[in-house]
Amino acid sequence: MKKIEAVIFDLDGVIVDTAHFHFLAWRNLARELGVDFTLEFNEKLKGISRIESLEKILVLGNLQDKYFSEEKEALAAKKNNEYVELLKDMKECDIYLGIKELINELRENNIKVSLASASKNAPIILEALRITELFDYVVDPDSVSKGKPAPDIFLAGAKALGANPEKCVGVEDAEAGIKAILDANMFPVGVGTPSEMQKAGAKLIVTNTKDLTLDLIVRSI
Ligand code: B16
Ligand code: MG
């Protein structure tokens, strides 16, 4: 890849630590359902849509046949209401170290920036962090037919910017997201535990976003 045309970011776990709020809200719902929900199991939900996350929790508790789809929608809405309440405590300073600087650096170098988050709450999170205007495009997860690990959301993030996927970089913290980036033929950057990110297929790995610079990306591709 000679010139980077766009960098496409995940949100939860890459820009801000909302993963912990997701965990707390799912754990409370799981408790009500009598399901033992651990931090380890929560890892499997990263990058996965709300309703798919609920399905996985129901399978964990052997409750997959217990609810009609309207009841499942109500359970997912209950979790989301609690999650949105927790988001109210989020402030501008909660943005991960170096992320704002990296995005500004990309923009100064005429590299477009988009967001490919599975979260329907992404717009309110970007607003709370006051970074909406830093993104050239935010993909609506409802606009793509298949969620992560399918590449659709990353491809939509590139298409909207008129960027060639082969000249795009994707940044993710979840195994499902790294797979989506790889299948979109983009360069995968993983944020997280090196062994896990390596296993997922990330080609550049940082444990802390403060280490992620344009220079490091350019040297790695
Ligand atoms: P919501 P990302 C994902 O965001 C989260 O990793 C995942 O845990 C969550 O279930 C999903 O968004 C949907 O979120 O319930 O807010 O629509 O990592 O793709 O930015
Ligand atoms: Mg994520």
Side-chain angles (χ1 to χ4, degrees), residues 16 24 47 78 88 122 179 188 192 202:
V16 68
L24 294 175
K78 189 171 187 190
K88 288 183 181 156
K179 181 162 192 325

Side-chain angles (χ1 to χ4, degrees), residues 10 12-13 172-173:
D10 173 49
D12 294 329
E172 261 287 350
D173 69 314

Side-chain angles (χ1 to χ4, degrees), residues 158-173:
K159 194 175 175 195
L161 304 175
N164 175 352
E166 288 178 16
K167 293 187 173 170
C168 290
V169 171
V171 190
E172 261 287 350
D173 69 314

Side-chain angles (χ1 to χ4, degrees), residues 10-12 22 45-50 53 79-80 83 116-121 148 173:
D10 173 49
L11 177 66
D12 294 329
H22 278 297
L45 308 184
K46 288 188 175 173
I48 305 295
S49 77
R50 195 181 307 165
S53 301
K79 177 266 171 180
N80 191 56
Y83 176 67
S117 168
S119 176
K120 295 176 202 284
N121 292 298
K148 301 168 190 175
D173 69 314

Side-chain angles (χ1 to χ4, degrees), residues 132-145:
T132 305
E133 61 291 343
L134 293 186
F135 288 84
D136 297 295
Y137 190 74
V138 175
V139 183
D140 174 358
D142 285 337
S143 70
V144 292
S145 49

Side-chain angles (χ1 to χ4, degrees), residues 6-80:
V7 176
I8 305 172
F9 287 85
D10 173 49
L11 177 66
D12 294 329
V14 166
I15 290 177
V16 68
D17 184 18
T18 34
H20 189 63
F21 294 151
H22 278 297
F23 167 70
L24 294 175
W26 279 129
R27 188 191 59 185
N28 287 350
L29 185 77
R31 273 183 186 157
E32 281 179 39
L33 301 175
V35 179
D36 185 20
F37 184 74
T38 61
L39 208 48
E40 194 188 348
F41 188 81
N42 188 57
E43 287 297 308
K44 298 187 200 300
L45 308 184
K46 288 188 175 173
I48 305 295
S49 77
R50 195 181 307 165
I51 202 75
E52 282 177 283
S53 301
L54 175 66
E55 298 281 6
K56 282 185 189 286
I57 291 168
L58 293 178
V59 170
L60 176 70
N62 206 16
L63 299 170
Q64 61 272 27
D65 300 322
K66 191 174 173 191
Y67 301 100
F68 291 115
S69 74
E70 300 78 37
E71 292 172 306
K72 287 182 193 171
E73 290 294 338
L75 291 173
K78 189 171 187 190
K79 177 266 171 180
N80 191 56

